[in-house]
Amino acid sequence: MSKRINFGKLIEKQLPPELVNFMWVAGEMANSRGEKVYLVGGVVRDLLMEQANFDLDLVVEGNAIELAQQLKLNQGKITTHPRFNTAKLQWNDRSVDLATARSETYEKPGALPAVTPSSIDNDLSRRDFTINAMAIRLNPGYYGKLVDPHGGRDDLQSQRIRILHEKSFTDDATRIWRALRYEQRLGFHLEKKTSSLLQRDIPMLATISADRTRYEMECICKEKYPEKVFNRAGELGVLAALHPSLKGNGGLAEKFEHARKECSPEPPSFDLYLALLAYPLTAEETEQLISRLNLPKLSAKTLRDTIAVKNKMRSLSTPGVSPGAIYNLLRDFSPAALEANSLVTESAVAGQAIHLFLNRLKDVQVLLTGDDLIQMGIAPGPRIKEMLALLHQAKLNGKIATRHDEEEIIKGWVAQKQGGTTPPS
Ligand code: ATP
């Protein structure tokens, strides 16, 4: 049995006074409108776990947009979505989502649900897991009252991820990814029946659109330890449903950890994590993954570049390879693809070459322009481009550094030409 908790006190203890005050005002305003308002979802779960989460989600039995308009602070911004009956309030660095309580029906598996305004109970019944299906009422007189129709609090205490009904994963198979994400983030376990339904419904992942699948991957990559989710997804056969050649074990955890160290204090980008995950795939398999996730152009380029750079690793591993040659080998590829290869390669020489490129060579620029060269006596034409490229190579290889050095080289070439010889090529 769960012990008695004063949830009003819990809110005051854990949330900043500004948000506590906001919720009081929301409760009073909803009351004056004859509506009920609740704090719901992840923030309630995290309040009970005493973990910081300031992303407030409110549900209104009534009209969320009108309530939000009344609540809008003088300096705040409001964004509304009348089709979904939702509103977002933003002020300073705060953001609060308000939604009208709704029930959902799924016409076919994986489709987005049809939505109708409803009660808080129905709103909680459409949610993914019991631990996310709790609400705290905010109206005066009921402030702090927990609404927990599915036993979310007991599941929190028993550290269980449990779906609300047998068809949950069939209705929306993104919940399979979500289940693994919460399980690994919170260090919980899948409740027995949930676990067997999850495994039964793995084929339903095929009903999820590419964009929704990509969104789930992005959410996983925002976790503190995405490798835990991929590892678990590998164990259960969920990762294979994304692509049969993906592996969540082996050296993945070590590579992700290494990526975090390299990128610190920023977290690694989605593209970098994905390039590391997709590293073992062939070019053809990579194309299949790109289309399964409908990756935007830049992310798709990163995956393709990762393979292209992999094919250059032998040349890059040659001891004594010049900076100019490194530049020519790597110039066309996305930084995340280069970073991924430097994290995976066993060749210290190649790793250093990539870092030299990323930290210095990619930014080396010639200071003189084509016009400068013409003014210095070089005839306009394709030769100008060639000479700028020669200057660039000389600069990459450390033979020249300043604008003065560049001018001296050009003057030398002009003099050679006047003396009847042609500049080096
Ligand atoms: P997080 O859990 O990542 O800290 P959150 O709990 O706010 O954040 P969101 O993904 O923002 O999670 O979703 C908000 C709430 O909406 C969830 O707590 C859950 O109740 C519900 N929800 C989100 N996605 C689904 C889904 N696919 N099926 C059912 N309910 C969902």
Side-chain angles (χ1 to χ4, degrees):
M1 259 316 264
S2 305
K3 67 174 191 253
R4 283 184 79 82
I5 293 186
N6 181 331
F7 293 97
K9 284 256 157 45
L10 199 61
I11 289 174
E12 267 168 47
K13 188 173 128 204
Q14 281 182 234
L15 295 179
E18 186 187 8
L19 292 181
V20 176
N21 186 46
F22 174 85
M23 285 194 280
W24 265 110
V25 176
E28 279 176 354
M29 209 164 265
N31 235 30
S32 69
R33 294 171 49 82
E35 296 175 336
K36 294 178 186 163
V37 65
Y38 304 84
L39 186 65
V40 291
V43 66
V44 176
R45 174 199 70 220
D46 289 342
L47 270 173
L48 286 164
M49 293 185 73
E50 307 208 5
Q51 287 185 3
N53 181 350
F54 302 156
D55 291 333
L56 302 193
D57 277 314
L58 303 190
V59 162
V60 188
E61 279 180 343
N63 189 325
I65 293 184
E66 281 179 22
L67 180 63
Q69 276 159 344
Q70 265 182 276
L71 277 167
K72 180 175 155 330
L73 308 174
N74 288 339
Q75 78 280 26
K77 179 181 155 203
I78 180 167
T79 318
T80 62
H81 294 286
R83 216 182 119 211
F84 301 106
N85 253 316
T86 61
K88 186 187 264 308
L89 287 174
Q90 287 165 297
W91 70 100
N92 304 330
D93 58 347
R94 304 280 182 224
S95 154
V96 176
D97 287 302
L98 290 97
T100 302
R102 64 189 201 231
S103 51
E104 290 178 348
T105 43
Y106 291 83
E107 292 225 337
K108 62 174 183 155
L112 287 175
V115 168
T116 38
S118 190
S119 63
I120 187 70
D121 279 348
N122 285 337
D123 191 285
L124 295 176
S125 298
R126 74 179 170 84
R127 290 175 185 260
D128 46 5
F129 310 111
T130 59
I131 58 167
N132 286 343
M134 293 180 276
I136 295 176
R137 193 153 164 201
L138 301 176
N139 297 64
Y142 297 90
Y143 187 84
K145 181 174 181 286
L146 183 72
V147 185
D148 179 17
H150 304 284
R153 220 179 135 199
D154 279 348
D155 284 339
L156 267 186
Q157 271 169 1
S158 313
Q159 308 199 317
R160 269 194 303 251
I161 307 292
R162 187 158 60 91
I163 45 174
L164 307 192
H165 57 89
E166 287 220 353
K167 277 180 69 220
S168 186
F169 292 128
T170 345
D171 282 345
D172 179 357
T174 65
R175 293 172 186 161
I176 291 179
W177 287 111
R178 290 177 66 85
L180 304 188
R181 191 151 61 81
Y182 288 117
E183 183 199 42
Q184 295 306 310
R185 183 203 296 173
L186 303 173
F188 283 17
H189 60 275
L190 300 177
E191 174 267 339
K192 213 166 152 220
K193 195 154 179 215
T194 298
S195 175
S196 69
L197 290 171
L198 184 150
Q199 289 180 66
R200 181 198 71 183
D201 291 337
I202 288 174
M204 299 309 289
L205 284 165
T207 64
I208 302 301
S209 72
D211 289 342
R212 293 188 73 209
T213 307
R214 185 185 65 248
Y215 176 75
E216 292 307 319
M217 295 305 111
E218 288 167 353
C219 289
I220 292 170
C221 290
K222 283 185 194 144
E223 293 291 323
K224 196 164 175 203
Y225 301 112
E227 62 270 30
K228 289 187 178 181
V229 185
F230 290 130
N231 182 41
R232 181 75 165 127
E235 266 172 25
L236 293 172
V238 174
L239 197 56
L242 179 59
H243 195 289
S245 299
L246 290 174
K247 299 272 172 292
N249 53 7
L252 192 71
E254 201 187 318
K255 283 169 208 144
F256 276 29
E257 182 65 47
H258 197 161
R260 282 190 288 276
K261 280 202 190 111
E262 286 285 317
C263 298
S264 170
E266 296 300 317
S269 64
F270 173 60
D271 285 2
L272 177 55
Y273 274 143
L274 195 63
L276 290 171
L277 180 68
Y279 201 83
L281 303 192
T282 63
E284 194 186 342
E285 290 168 340
T286 300
E287 289 307 321
Q288 291 160 353
L289 185 66
I290 289 171
S291 101
R292 179 62 188 108
L293 296 177
N294 188 24
L295 287 181
K297 266 197 185 135
L298 275 180
S299 305
K301 175 171 160 48
T302 294
L303 292 200
R304 293 185 182 118
D305 284 357
T306 302
I307 295 178
V309 177
K310 214 193 295 186
N311 293 332
K312 309 256 179 217
M313 291 315 263
R314 264 184 81 168
S315 315
L316 281 174
S317 313
T318 318
V321 60
S322 73
I326 295 172
Y327 181 88
N328 287 344
L329 282 166
L330 302 182
R331 58 189 291 175
D332 296 327
F333 303 121
S334 83
L338 296 172
E339 197 62 65
N341 274 280
S342 85
L343 290 166
V344 173
T345 182
E346 282 169 8
S347 157
V349 178
Q352 280 159 10
I354 292 175
H355 278 125
L356 181 68
F357 176 83
L358 287 172
N359 297 333
R360 193 170 71 77
L361 302 182
K362 76 173 175 25
D363 300 316
V364 169
Q365 279 180 351
V366 172
L367 300 174
L368 294 180
T369 63
D371 285 346
D372 293 329
L373 264 59
I374 292 167
Q375 277 190 2
M376 292 176 74
I378 311 274
R383 198 80 182 117
I384 297 273
K385 206 172 154 199
E386 286 168 27
M387 288 184 142
L388 288 172
L390 285 170
L391 282 179
H392 190 225
Q393 280 290 314
K395 207 160 187 183
L396 287 165
N397 290 328
K399 296 195 173 132
I400 55 172
T402 63
R403 185 183 173 96
H404 177 74
D405 296 341
E406 293 177 16
E407 286 168 351
E408 287 305 301
I409 287 211
I410 299 295
K411 280 183 198 159
W413 289 343
V414 171
Q416 277 176 24
K417 195 170 169 237
Q418 282 161 356
T421 47
T422 45
S425 53

